[in-house]
Amino acid sequence: MVSLKKYSGTFYIFLKNQTLTKFQYRGTLWADILFFIFGYGTQFYLIFLLVGKFGTLGGWTQYEVMLLYSMSILSYTIACTFLMGLYNRTPEKIRNGEFDQTLTKPMNPLIYEVISSFSAYYTIHVILGIVMVCVSFGLLNVTLSIGNMFFLILVVIGGAMIQGGVLVLFSSASFFLIGDNPLVYSVFVTLRLLNENPISIYPPFAQIFLTVIMPFAFVSFYPAQYFLGKNDFLMFHPMLQYLTPLVGLLVLLAAAALWLCGIKQYKSSGN
Amino acid sequence: MIEVNNVSKEFKVYTRPSGFINTVKSAFWREHKIKRAVTNICFNIEPGELVGYVGPNGAGKSTTIKMLSGILTPSAGDIRVLGIVPYKQRMKNAKNIGVVFGQRSQLYWDLPVRDSFVLHEKMYDIPKPIFKDNVKLFTEILQMEEFIDQPVRQLSLGQKMRANLAIALLHNPPVIYLDEPTVGLDIVAKAAIREFIKEINKMQKTTVIITTHDMTDIEEICQRLILIDKGQLYYDGDLHFFKQQYGGDYVITIQVKSNSINPQHPMLSVVEKEANRIVIKGNSAELSLVDAIDFYNRNYEIIDIGIKESSIESILRDIYTGSIQMQQ
């Protein structure tokens, strides 16, 4: 309990100061919100147009694909709120030896990195993500029961843990690879795009890959099947619809364990 | 309190190939060399000691400090700090130590110094009264009133270093490692920092290990000297004894009234000689400085006299360049 107080107290101070600094730069803040609306909004609209034009995508209607997309975006923004700092800044710290500081703090190094680089302003993205999910359900004319609403929250958190786990995984790569490795980082962005379409349109090996190896299919595809009452179960068991929270937990824990193992590889740097 | 037994640290260094073909080849298979940063180092430090840890650049000083603070894992050997193995129980160890790296800052760029302090209060779970007392005390000794509420990015190097020192000691650690705490600072800032270190050591019996290239730091702060070079331990012991054993040289310049200086002491060698001025060199192991001056005073009427004794700095320079051979 003492350590919980320690972590929450430290987190609160970081959060307070970051929010204050961020809101000092109002211009950047608004530019950021506009970027989000234009960037993701355009994509949202594009799905509407394109899928509408062709009727369906792998048996999914335009609104259904929009739900898929918005669930993926929502959980992604949640993951980014917590872990974008870790993904962006920690590799640089590891390379230039600044990570020394983290290792002399009386805290779990991973938790310290996460709370010290928490991106508070990303919560605005989260809110916009929630709006997108609500719009999609509205367009689909689906009303959720209380139980389903609760399950949706779990699914979104699970999806955030899956995407967050992958962010942690890629950030741990910098312990093992010494030089810059921009490729590793762009792989994530590309792979993530795959879960914005129904995975049933992909060839079997890609479906297996997205279910077993890099389980992005759990972020939106399987849970969306549940909410929409779909049954294009492909080669996998229908139970997968319910597993998102569990898969998320496993992915995140595995990634965190690997990250903490990576510390042994840390070589610091001379001065 | 601090036990270091036969500690070595090796790094794998990949050799950078020359030529295009070799560079392409290195993408698949690279040669590496084992670089030994530290080899078989042993020492024990008792509570309250002030230890100067010196050696030329690349001697392995920082590597040792990093192993003691849990940042690096030794390749071989055993380290215990207050009974804790630093790299195994990193968080527990962190509570016992304070670390200052002269080249890096513990402070948060955007925050005022005071907020960085509060952050440490939470992080180290420092009881409120201790925190308040320490902030007040440190602000006073280190003269931080004028800048404690300014954001760190506006501070001078000297101010930042003082704040770094304060933050490292806020949780009253029994041990503190200072890695080049005075690098790049002016005389006033250096003096303030030295005073502070001595004061804290006196008040709280804090054990201090300090690495530095400024030998005045060592002479003013430390009682004990540990010297390493090329990763190996060369000297560990009392600072005064070190000076006596490896120093003891003195150079005297004497000007006399008469026009020629003739009789010479057999133990002294002449460096330079003019009609009424002589520069002589001796070693206190053979003839004490007082006796040497007395010898000239008895034979001549001295008008002017200048004395230069060897300093830690000059001794170390001679050791680093190989003019003095040391037995390990």
Side-chain angles (χ1 to χ4, degrees):
Chain A
M1 275 309 104
V2 173
S3 76
L4 189 68
K5 192 183 128 213
K6 175 175 83 182
Y7 287 114
S8 58
T10 313
F11 179 48
Y12 171 71
I13 307 234
F14 271 123
L15 188 63
K16 191 182 83 182
N17 285 301
Q18 262 182 31
T19 317
L20 290 181
T21 0
K22 204 73 203 176
F23 280 94
Q24 278 171 4
Y25 308 110
R26 277 189 310 178
T28 325
L29 195 71
W30 284 110
D32 203 67
I33 294 173
L34 284 181
F35 167 79
F36 185 95
I37 293 174
F38 276 115
Y40 291 110
T42 310
Q43 186 71 25
F44 207 47
Y45 183 60
L46 211 60
I47 295 171
F48 174 78
L49 282 184
L50 283 179
V51 182
K53 190 99 183 161
F54 297 113
T56 58
L57 182 62
W60 291 57
T61 67
Q62 54 194 147
Y63 296 146
E64 289 170 340
V65 180
M66 279 157 77
L67 175 69
L68 213 54
Y69 177 70
S70 52
M71 279 174 69
S72 161
I73 292 296
L74 175 59
S75 55
Y76 177 64
T77 54
I78 295 174
C80 286
T81 310
F82 287 91
L83 298 165
M84 208 52 189
L86 179 85
Y87 176 76
N88 277 334
R89 263 170 273 162
T90 307
E92 183 56 32
K93 280 185 172 181
I94 291 168
R95 233 165 275 131
N96 67 20
E98 225 181 285
F99 191 65
D100 286 5
Q101 310 281 9
T102 307
L103 291 178
T104 56
K105 299 283 190 304
M107 285 194 160
N108 179 301
L110 180 58
I111 299 181
Y112 176 80
E113 283 299 320
V114 170
I115 63 179
S116 68
S117 59
F118 182 83
S119 319
Y121 72 101
Y122 247 98
T123 39
I124 295 165
H125 292 197
V126 175
I127 294 168
L128 294 170
I130 293 173
V131 170
M132 281 166 69
V133 171
C134 292
V135 168
S136 304
F137 274 113
L139 290 171
L140 283 162
N141 255 327
V142 173
T143 11
L144 296 173
S145 65
I146 300 286
N148 275 350
M149 204 99 85
F150 186 68
F151 183 60
L152 178 65
I153 292 170
L154 278 183
V155 161
V156 168
I157 294 172
M161 288 199 283
I162 292 171
Q163 308 210 43
V166 178
L167 284 172
V168 173
L169 181 80
F170 280 128
S171 115
S172 76
S174 43
F175 285 121
F176 304 97
L177 309 167
I178 307 150
D180 312 79
N181 232 314
L183 250 183
V184 173
Y185 302 108
S186 59
V187 166
F188 171 71
V189 180
T190 317
L191 281 179
R192 216 187 60 77
L193 293 178
L194 292 176
N195 76 24
E196 290 169 3
N197 297 314
I199 69 158
S200 43
I201 63 170
Y202 301 132
F205 80 89
Q207 296 182 19
I208 296 172
F209 180 80
L210 289 171
T211 305
V212 182
I213 296 169
M214 193 78 62
F216 279 135
F218 288 96
V219 173
S220 49
F221 179 74
Y222 291 124
Q225 278 187 326
Y226 169 79
F227 290 114
L228 301 173
K230 297 229 153 235
N231 42 28
D232 42 349
F233 292 122
L234 322 165
M235 62 202 84
F236 296 106
H237 199 272
M239 268 303 284
L240 295 187
Q241 291 180 352
Y242 307 98
L243 290 184
T244 303
L246 184 70
V247 172
L249 199 64
L250 290 178
V251 170
L252 191 61
L253 286 179
L258 184 77
W259 197 96
L260 290 169
C261 266
I263 293 177
K264 289 200 194 80
Q265 299 290 318
Y266 178 63
K267 289 179 190 66
S268 186
S269 71
N271 51 7
Chain B
M1 176 164 241
I2 300 175
E3 297 155 61
V4 175
N5 284 316
N6 284 313
V7 166
S8 301
K9 177 71 188 171
E10 293 169 345
F11 291 104
K12 248 187 209 174
V13 182
Y14 290 98
T15 44
R16 186 186 282 265
S18 59
F20 180 72
I21 299 287
N22 285 331
T23 310
V24 173
K25 219 160 69 183
S26 77
F28 302 97
W29 188 77
R30 279 194 299 180
E31 276 183 58
H32 66 261
K33 280 190 294 203
I34 299 288
K35 194 190 145 215
R36 299 197 129 197
V38 166
T39 314
N40 280 330
I41 282 198
C42 298
F43 56 80
N44 281 311
I45 292 170
E46 298 304 320
E49 276 197 280
L50 291 159
V51 180
Y53 196 60
V54 299
N57 286 330
K61 301 188 297 290
S62 291
T63 306
T64 315
I65 298 283
K66 281 172 187 168
M67 286 192 285
L68 288 176
S69 43
I71 295 168
L72 294 175
T73 308
S75 313
D78 193 40
I79 298 180
R80 262 159 224 277
V81 179
L82 285 111
I84 293 170
V85 180
Y87 61 93
K88 278 191 185 150
Q89 287 175 284
R90 210 176 272 124
M91 285 159 67
K92 224 171 162 186
N93 184 57
K95 285 219 142 201
N96 289 333
I97 63 168
V99 193
V100 176
F101 293 110
Q103 320 263 22
R104 297 228 167 83
S105 180
Q106 294 258 36
L107 308 163
Y108 301 87
W109 196 246
D110 283 320
L111 306 190
V113 178
R114 200 186 290 279
D115 287 15
S116 289
F117 286 175
V118 175
L119 204 54
H120 262 230
E121 178 199 351
K122 301 286 180 225
M123 224 183 274
Y124 285 81
D125 223 347
I126 308 170
K128 201 98 201 169
I130 294 183
F131 176 72
K132 275 192 171 160
D133 286 353
N134 275 352
V135 170
K136 193 164 164 260
L137 180 74
F138 297 169
T139 310
E140 207 175 285
I141 311 182
L142 287 167
Q143 294 154 23
M144 298 193 294
E145 298 90 356
E146 35 168 333
F147 61 85
I148 193 164
D149 290 310
Q150 279 176 27
V152 171
R153 66 184 122 84
Q154 295 172 5
L155 304 188
S156 73
L157 190 63
Q159 290 173 328
K160 257 185 277 185
M161 189 41 70
R162 278 184 269 168
N164 263 310
L165 201 55
I167 209 169
L169 283 158
L170 276 180
H171 56 291
N172 287 345
V175 182
I176 175 156
Y177 307 125
L178 307 168
D179 195 0
E180 299 190 31
T182 56
V183 70
L185 303 189
D186 65 40
I187 312 164
V188 182
K190 276 184 181 177
I193 282 173
R194 288 173 194 145
E195 258 336 289
F196 181 70
I197 296 169
K198 282 193 278 187
E199 193 68 30
I200 292 297
N201 169 265
K202 214 186 287 165
M203 282 182 348
Q204 301 180 342
K205 293 273 161 289
T206 311
T207 310
V208 181
I209 299 184
I210 175 169
T211 81
T212 179
H213 291 293
D214 183 340
M215 290 309 135
T216 326
D217 290 345
I218 301 289
E219 292 196 70
E220 286 199 8
I221 300 169
C222 306
Q223 302 135 0
R224 177 173 165 188
L225 184 81
I226 297 180
L227 171 68
I228 65 165
D229 193 5
K230 298 185 192 77
Q232 288 178 316
L233 198 78
Y234 278 84
Y235 178 85
D236 177 7
D238 190 73
L239 184 69
H240 291 289
F241 182 73
F242 178 79
K243 249 175 139 173
Q244 268 167 25
Q245 194 175 10
Y246 297 101
D249 283 346
Y250 52 79
V251 175
I252 316 175
T253 311
I254 293 172
Q255 207 174 338
V256 297
K257 212 164 190 180
S258 66
N259 265 336
S260 69
I261 307 178
N262 237 344
Q264 248 129 55
H265 199 286
M267 299 290 195
L268 297 170
S269 55
V270 179
V271 181
E272 220 182 289
K273 193 176 158 191
E274 286 162 32
N276 64 342
R277 190 173 151 273
I278 191 169
V279 182
I280 45 171
K281 200 176 152 194
N283 188 292
S284 49
E286 293 159 349
L287 181 73
S288 78
L289 182 63
V290 179
D291 288 343
I293 296 170
D294 188 52
F295 171 77
Y296 283 94
N297 199 27
R298 266 188 280 119
N299 292 304
Y300 306 97
E301 196 179 332
I302 299 177
I303 311 173
D304 194 18
I305 191 162
I307 301 164
K308 244 168 73 185
E309 279 184 281
S310 57
S311 59
I312 297 279
E313 178 145 354
S314 63
I315 301 169
L316 286 178
R317 191 179 330 119
D318 288 345
I319 291 172
Y320 296 168
T321 54
S323 324
I324 299 181
Q325 294 292 322
M326 293 199 74
Q327 65 276 27
Q328 274 179 43

